[in-house]
Amino acid sequence: MDSTTAIPQPTLASDLDDTCELLLIRHGRSADVVPGSPESADPPLHVDGVAQAAALDERLAGKAIHAVYASHLARAVQTAAPLADRRGLDVVQFPDLEEIRLGDWSNGEFRRRAAVRDPEWIAWSRTGLWDGIPGGEPDASFRTRVAGVIEQLALDHRNQTIAVVAHGGSIGAYLAHVLGVHRSLWMTVENTSITLVRVSEHGHVVITANDCHHLYDPVLGH
């Protein structure tokens, strides 16, 4: 190459050797629940969530996906199912991909406190960490739990693309873990949004986060 040759700008996304492409997908909207009711422990998709999952599936129809994983919770499995069915794959479930374990705020109590703007909930939410929920899972343990599963899947699927359907907290905690972000509650993760991360032995490259253009444009707000 001589000194007169024009050279294009480089990009970190150009080298795909031994790289796993992760499609980190949040489940669709979950059903409304009465706190403390039996269904509050594991709500299925809301009718809107079913439509969101269908829109996601249609958007990714032309995308090569080699495996589909999900937490064991109904809303994640139901969101993953169309992606797997289209490709003749199974949804492989990992309980450790589930959302933060909320302790005393489980079974709809977290939702109730958020809905009524409970002062204790507001004070907790401003910390940016999952610590501080009575009986809840520690923030560091949550990050380690989720990252352990996703990092192993990335190792198992070098030179492949996989879909991992999980939860807003799980996706935010994973990215905080790998990027060294102090706050686990640091990003918006919409229902059925796609966060694309390429993982190799050299590290992690985030291509896009919270991409939900199959539902609306988050920049324009509609």
Side-chain angles (χ1 to χ4, degrees), residues 67-89:
V68 178
Y69 297 95
S71 84
H72 66 298
L73 298 177
R75 56 195 185 273
V77 175
Q78 286 179 270
T79 302
L83 300 175
D85 291 346
R86 182 183 288 274
R87 296 164 177 83
L89 300 171

Side-chain angles (χ1 to χ4, degrees), residues 2 30-31 33 65 67 157 185-186 216 221:
D2 62 45
S30 58
V33 298
I65 296 176
H157 290 281
L185 297 158
W186 68 284
Y216 76 102

Side-chain angles (χ1 to χ4, degrees), residues 32-43 73 75 98 100-113:
D32 301 348
V33 298
V34 175
S37 64
E39 62 271 17
S40 66
D42 186 14
L73 298 177
R75 56 195 185 273
E98 75 171 320
I100 185 74
R101 294 160 183 165
L102 288 169
D104 294 353
W105 291 4
S106 298
N107 299 335
E109 178 62 14
F110 184 92
R111 291 191 187 195
R112 186 196 68 79
R113 288 175 178 265

